[in-house]
Amino acid sequence: GNLRFQREEYAEALAEYDRASHAFGRLRVRDETVIGLEVNRAVALTQLDRDADALQIFHRLERECTRREFDLLRAQIQMNGAYVHFLRADFDAALRCLGPAADYFRRTEHPAFLASCLLNRAEVYQELNLHRETGELAREAVSLFAAEGLRDDQALALSQEALARLALGTP
């Protein structure tokens, strides 16, 4: 499924995720790996413009992770759900999801996930014309991505910071 997803074959990826989900169901396995699989299914649904289905899965998984104390997975789910809300231009919901996720990643020292949350928040702020705040978030994301050696993500954050600077008239 992940290979199909990487090739942007989202329908095929979803079919593979569904097969794996059914296999785990027959085995009566419901652990963090299976929840991670469900996250992948929801992301594939998002790519197929089935965002309402994806959000429904994310909400269900977030409740399950809260109940089972899978805190890292819950924060990842919140971050992914925020992205779907962003795509739907539901910026308040996106920010509500990103806040607790970023807090968790900062508190538990997960710099790459924190940087992704900050960059996602910066994109929301850019849409809301909050350019100064966008730049600040993007700058922090740049340094976190750089420290983790994630050059592609660092470049995306630099691009976001550049857009904020242009909007502020400070190229």
Side-chain angles (χ1 to χ4, degrees):
N2 290 347
L3 180 61
R4 297 282 193 165
F5 189 90
Q6 298 249 333
R7 292 180 180 166
E8 298 181 7
E9 299 169 351
Y10 303 119
E12 294 84 355
L14 183 59
E16 293 297 330
Y17 295 143
D18 286 341
R19 274 184 11 157
S21 182
H22 292 303
F24 280 121
R26 283 192 307 276
L27 295 170
R28 292 192 169 97
V29 173
R30 186 74 183 170
D31 60 8
E32 290 171 308
T33 300
V34 177
I35 293 173
L37 166 67
E38 293 294 316
V39 170
N40 290 349
R41 284 183 69 246
V43 172
L45 287 167
T46 301
Q47 295 299 322
L48 294 168
D49 293 324
R50 293 177 54 192
D51 52 323
D53 294 333
L55 283 174
Q56 187 176 31
I57 291 171
F58 285 139
H59 291 306
R60 178 177 48 80
L61 293 176
E62 185 177 355
R63 287 189 307 272
E64 181 177 354
C65 286
T66 299
R67 189 178 71 253
R68 298 181 69 186
E69 298 181 359
F70 294 161
D71 297 333
L72 177 58
L73 266 174
R74 183 182 68 228
Q76 291 170 341
I77 290 164
Q78 290 167 330
M79 185 172 63
N80 281 298
Y83 183 71
V84 178
H85 287 298
F86 173 77
L87 292 175
R88 297 177 81 167
D90 188 353
F91 302 132
D92 287 338
L95 292 172
R96 277 194 307 275
C97 291
L98 286 171
D103 291 344
Y104 175 82
F105 295 137
R106 190 179 301 279
R107 188 176 66 253
T108 58
E109 299 181 18
H110 286 88
F113 286 134
L114 174 59
S116 291
C117 273
L118 296 175
L119 185 55
N120 290 347
R121 183 181 288 266
E123 289 179 21
V124 172
Y125 281 5
Q126 185 75 16
E127 289 294 318
L128 297 172
N129 295 316
L130 300 170
H131 306 299
R132 186 175 308 114
E133 294 85 348
T134 298
E136 291 168 4
L137 290 165
R139 269 190 297 286
E140 186 177 357
V142 167
S143 65
L144 289 166
F145 284 135
E148 293 296 302
L150 299 171
R151 296 174 61 126
D152 291 347
D153 292 317
Q154 180 185 2
L156 290 172
L158 281 168
S159 296
Q160 187 66 53
E161 182 182 1
L163 290 172
R165 287 179 181 268
L166 286 171
L168 289 169
T170 58

